[in-house]
């Protein structure tokens, strides 16, 4: 990797600081195009539902408009596993494998790592130590060790898990600045130190997010009483005048994504991505849609206005990239880590919790067996120290069956599995749970909800994490040289992205993968 440098080129207009299968590869060796791509741009918009792109397509004029116009669009793509959240979702995209293979079960059991402290931040450390296996980055390094890689996100898990365990430049936002952990480096590069010195939190403190269009052009109400628990749920959304508070509030404001793109652009120039005789990779994960969607919901004016902003910033970002890497030498992908369910208060549905079962199980272990069961629930999966209970003579299969019976009687619960029943099941719902839970996870029940129901009780936000289509469905767009635009009815999966990109640039996965090469992108492959 070349040393960091501070490019003297003009900053892009987008800156707002001044604002499966291994057998397919074995049977048909990849062929490098005569004029191979110089840069892959893998773009993730956290919590992006595909219906947003369809609903507001006519209003887009920038980067989203370009992707929809020139790309192969899969509006029915899926994160085809059970617990749809950021960490497991990101782990699937370039690995070609499901969370049961990558080992990333949940956000909490994703990248947090106290042993990998952050540079210049007191926030929780982070690393990819729980991630198992390889990604496209490793496949690219195998034939070309000079490959240059950069990954940037507001979230640590968004930046880290897209590229797996590789020690490459990876940066995320923390406490008002972009940083990394000591898993990757002992100091920040000069170009990022310079960016941080401009102190965006201080520059933006006190500023307000206001709609970019007249009120009459938004069909959504701005006063839905359940948004953000009825507190500060209408425009304008003003940042605190206190710099420290504003640094935290930025994570919930539209402008956060423009900062992430600005860092990605400056890093691209600093590391010379796309400027050599080989293919490089830029991964960018935009996280503001997730925070905004949780607070205000997919039917909000806030989400609508934010996506219009993202479209504009992406247009400027891609224009800036095209000035250094011609578009006919770029491959661009757009997808998301999960969808989202509308606020139950907006219609039919409700909120479901397993907290009482967690409490009862912990009390059972403590009071009867004098052991810490350490029960907890992650969006429908009840985990505990099952082996410890079994060692005390507890019939854990009977215990799981009893818990499952109680859950099946709850409003909103559609399906419940235990380890025994899941092992025997082969239907689509069961397979999503099998693709989620990796070997070694100790669990008792896995519950799926009816449409419109979400996990959790916090009235200030809506959520995701279920097996339902609103949570698992995501868009997928791929723009590649020589590939004509198309809207495909195929139910593509995010695990197909890595193998498809590998085929396009002529590299092989270095391990068996579940994902397939999408025939609309690489027609020499056989459709599934």
């Amino acid at each position: 990797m070349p040393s960091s440098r501070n490019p003297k080129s003009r900053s892009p207009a987008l800156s707002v600081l001044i604002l499966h299968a291994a057998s397919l590869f074995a049977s048909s060796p990849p062929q490098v195009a005569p004029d191979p791509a110089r840069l892959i741009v893998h773009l993730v918009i956290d919590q992006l539902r595909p219906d947003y792109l369809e609903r507001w397509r006519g209003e887009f004029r920038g980067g989203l408009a370009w992707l929809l116009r020139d790309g192969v669009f899969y509006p029915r793509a899926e994160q085809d596993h059970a617990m749809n959240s950021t960490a497991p979702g990101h782990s699937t995209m370039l690995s070609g494998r499901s969370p049961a293979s990558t080992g990333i079960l949940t956000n909490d059991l994703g990248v947090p790592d106290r042993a990998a402290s952050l540079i210049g931040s007191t926030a929780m450390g982070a690393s990819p130590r729980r991630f198992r296996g390889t990604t496209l980055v490793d496949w690219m390094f195998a034939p070309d060790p000079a490959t240059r890689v950069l990954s940037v996100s507001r979230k640590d898990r968004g930046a880290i898990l897209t590229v797996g365990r590789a020690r490459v430049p990876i940066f995320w936002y923390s406490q008002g600045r972009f940083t990394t952990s000591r898993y990757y480096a002992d100091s920040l590069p000069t170009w990022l130190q310079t960016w941080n010195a401009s102190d965006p939190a201080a520059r933006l403190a006190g500023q307000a997010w206001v709609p970019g269009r007249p009120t009459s052009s938004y069909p959504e109400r701005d006063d839905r009483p359940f948004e953000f628990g009825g507190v500060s749920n209408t425009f304008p959304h003003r940042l605190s005048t206190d710099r420290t508070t504003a640094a935290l509030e930025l994570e919930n404001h539209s402008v956060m994504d423009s900062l992430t793109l600005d860092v990605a652009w400056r890093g691209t120039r600093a590391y010379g991505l796309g400027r050599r005789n080989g293919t490089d990779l830029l991964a960018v994960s935009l996280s503001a849609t997730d925070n905004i969607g949780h607070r205000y919901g997919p039917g909000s004016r806030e989400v609508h206005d934010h996506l219009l902003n993202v479209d504009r910033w992406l247009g400027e970002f891609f224009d800036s990239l095209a000035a250094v890497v011609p578009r006919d030498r770029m491959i661009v992908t757009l997808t998301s880590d999960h969808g989202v369910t509308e606020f139950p208060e907006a219609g039919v549905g409700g909120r479901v919790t397993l907290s009482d079962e967690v409490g009862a199980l912990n009390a059972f272990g403590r009071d009867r067996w004098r052991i810490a069961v350490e029960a907890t629930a992650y969006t429908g999966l009840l985990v505990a120290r099952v082996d410890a209970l079994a060692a005390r003579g507890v019939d854990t299969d009977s215990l799981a069956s009893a818990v499952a019976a109680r859950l099946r009687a709850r409003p909103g619960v559609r399906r419940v599995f235990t380890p025994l029943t899941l092992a025997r099941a082969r239907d689509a719902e069961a397979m999503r749970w099998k693709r989620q839970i990796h070997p070694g996870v100790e669990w008792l029940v896995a519950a799926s909800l009816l449409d419109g129901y979400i996990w959790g009780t916090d009235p200030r936000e809506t959520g995701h994490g279920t097996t339902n289509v609103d949570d698992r469905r995501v868009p997928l767009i791929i723009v590649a040289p020589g590939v004509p635009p198309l809207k495909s009815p195929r139910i593509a999966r995010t695990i197909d992205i890595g193998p498809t990109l590998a085929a396009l640039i002529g590299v092989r996965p270095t391990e068996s993968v579940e994902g397939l090469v999408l025939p609309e992108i690489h027609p020499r492959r056989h459709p599934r």
Side-chain angles (χ1 to χ4, degrees):
M1 188 65 63
S3 60
S4 302
R5 61 184 184 275
N6 185 22
K8 297 181 180 180
S9 58
R10 179 175 57 86
S11 177
L14 65 89
S15 175
V16 296
L17 292 180
I18 324 174
L19 150 243
H20 125 322
S23 61
L24 288 180
F25 290 88
S27 63
S28 180
Q31 298 179 6
V32 178
D35 202 13
R38 293 290 180 88
L39 182 64
I40 294 172
V41 181
H42 177 64
L43 175 65
V44 182
I45 300 181
D46 197 318
Q47 201 187 113
L48 180 68
R49 288 172 37 146
D51 62 303
Y52 296 165
L53 300 182
E54 308 251 49
R55 192 187 316 171
W56 301 315
R57 181 170 187 164
E59 301 176 44
F60 297 144
R61 299 290 184 271
L64 294 177
W66 170 62
L67 291 169
L68 288 163
R69 182 182 67 247
D70 288 6
V72 177
F73 178 28
Y74 301 88
R76 301 174 67 210
E78 292 188 356
Q79 290 277 2
D80 198 17
H81 50 264
M83 298 162 65
N84 282 285
S85 56
T86 296
H90 277 81
S91 80
T92 67
M93 299 171 188
L94 299 187
S95 69
R97 296 173 292 119
S98 300
S101 176
T102 66
I104 303 301
L105 183 68
T106 69
N107 288 339
D108 291 346
L109 300 176
V111 300
D113 184 355
R114 295 186 183 279
S117 60
L118 304 191
I119 299 172
S121 173
T122 59
M124 170 64 75
S127 82
R129 289 193 173 99
R130 292 186 183 88
F131 185 90
R132 301 173 181 175
T134 61
T135 71
L136 178 65
V137 171
D138 304 286
W139 313 341
M140 294 170 71
F141 275 134
D144 184 4
T147 298
R148 300 172 182 176
V149 178
L150 171 65
S151 183
V152 179
S153 177
R154 197 275 292 169
K155 296 182 180 180
D156 51 6
R157 51 193 178 272
I160 293 171
L161 293 172
T162 308
V163 300
R165 298 181 66 88
R167 295 178 188 263
V168 295
I170 294 180
F171 306 105
W172 59 90
Y173 180 85
S174 179
Q175 298 177 340
R177 295 173 172 84
F178 277 81
T179 187
T180 192
S181 80
R182 297 187 186 277
Y183 176 91
Y184 299 102
D186 292 323
S187 62
L188 297 180
T190 301
W191 67 267
L192 188 55
Q193 292 182 44
T194 300
W195 191 94
N196 283 333
S198 67
D199 201 353
R203 289 172 178 254
L204 294 169
Q207 295 189 25
W209 171 20
V210 297
R213 295 185 175 187
T215 299
S216 59
S217 65
Y218 297 91
E220 303 87 5
R221 288 179 53 188
D222 191 32
D223 59 350
R224 300 196 302 173
F226 46 80
E227 292 181 4
F228 200 38
V231 178
S232 301
N233 62 334
T234 60
F235 280 110
H237 300 293
R238 188 174 299 278
L239 291 169
S240 171
T241 56
D242 175 72
R243 185 263 175 205
T244 301
T245 304
L248 297 174
E249 292 177 347
L250 270 173
E251 299 182 4
N252 304 302
H253 276 242
S254 187
V255 72
M256 185 70 240
D257 283 347
S258 70
L259 305 183
T260 304
L261 286 169
D262 196 42
V263 171
W265 162 249
R266 293 170 187 270
T268 297
R269 294 302 304 270
Y271 294 120
L273 268 65
R275 304 298 298 277
R276 65 185 191 94
N277 187 24
T279 306
D280 298 327
L281 173 67
L282 170 64
V284 183
S285 181
L286 303 179
S287 306
T289 310
D290 186 62
N291 293 60
I292 294 165
H294 277 294
R295 281 188 167 198
Y296 307 109
S300 66
R301 184 176 297 178
E302 283 82 357
V303 168
H304 185 171
D305 188 69
H306 172 62
L307 264 295
L308 297 178
N309 289 338
V310 169
D311 170 61
R312 184 175 72 257
W313 294 326
L314 282 176
E316 295 163 352
F317 178 72
F318 286 125
D319 285 346
S320 297
L321 280 180
V324 294
V325 183
R327 291 200 184 191
D328 62 359
R329 306 297 295 276
M330 267 195 282
I331 299 171
V332 182
T333 66
L334 168 67
T335 192
S336 188
D337 48 354
H338 55 76
V340 68
T341 297
E342 179 60 280
F343 272 89
E345 292 79 4
V348 178
R351 300 173 184 269
V352 184
T353 180
L354 298 180
S355 60
D356 56 338
E357 293 291 347
V358 169
L361 190 56
N362 283 324
F364 171 73
R366 179 185 65 247
D367 298 341
R368 179 151 182 194
W369 301 104
R370 307 296 186 200
I371 60 172
V373 175
E374 299 177 8
T376 191
Y378 300 106
T379 58
L381 185 69
L382 180 59
V383 302
R385 295 178 61 203
V386 177
D387 288 350
L389 287 169
R392 294 298 182 99
V394 177
D395 184 339
T396 55
D397 290 331
S398 296
L399 177 62
S401 295
V403 175
R406 291 195 293 270
L407 293 185
R408 290 188 187 101
R410 293 194 178 188
V413 174
R414 172 167 54 88
R415 189 88 177 269
V416 185
F417 297 100
T418 68
L420 277 180
T421 61
L422 184 61
R424 298 168 183 160
R426 294 290 184 271
D427 60 276
E429 187 74 0
M431 296 309 296
R432 291 189 182 100
W433 280 107
K434 290 183 180 185
R435 286 191 288 268
Q436 181 75 46
I437 305 171
H438 58 83
V441 175
E442 298 182 66
W443 62 283
L444 289 170
V445 295
S448 300
L449 299 181
L450 293 169
D451 290 345
Y453 284 81
I454 62 174
W455 294 107
T457 59
D458 189 344
R460 296 172 300 174
E461 63 177 29
T462 189
H464 49 82
T466 75
T467 61
N468 295 333
V469 67
D470 281 348
D471 288 357
R472 72 175 191 268
R473 181 153 291 169
V474 297
L476 173 59
I477 302 176
I478 301 178
V479 178
V483 178
L486 174 71
K487 182 176 178 180
S488 173
R490 180 183 300 276
I491 302 179
R493 300 174 297 170
T494 54
I495 57 174
D496 297 332
I497 299 172
T500 299
L501 291 174
L504 282 173
I505 63 174
V507 302
R508 298 176 183 271
T510 56
E511 64 178 317
S512 295
V513 296
E514 301 165 58
L516 302 178
V517 177
L518 293 166
E520 294 83 3
I521 308 299
H522 201 289
R524 288 193 294 271
R525 301 297 185 183
H526 299 290
R528 75 168 68 99

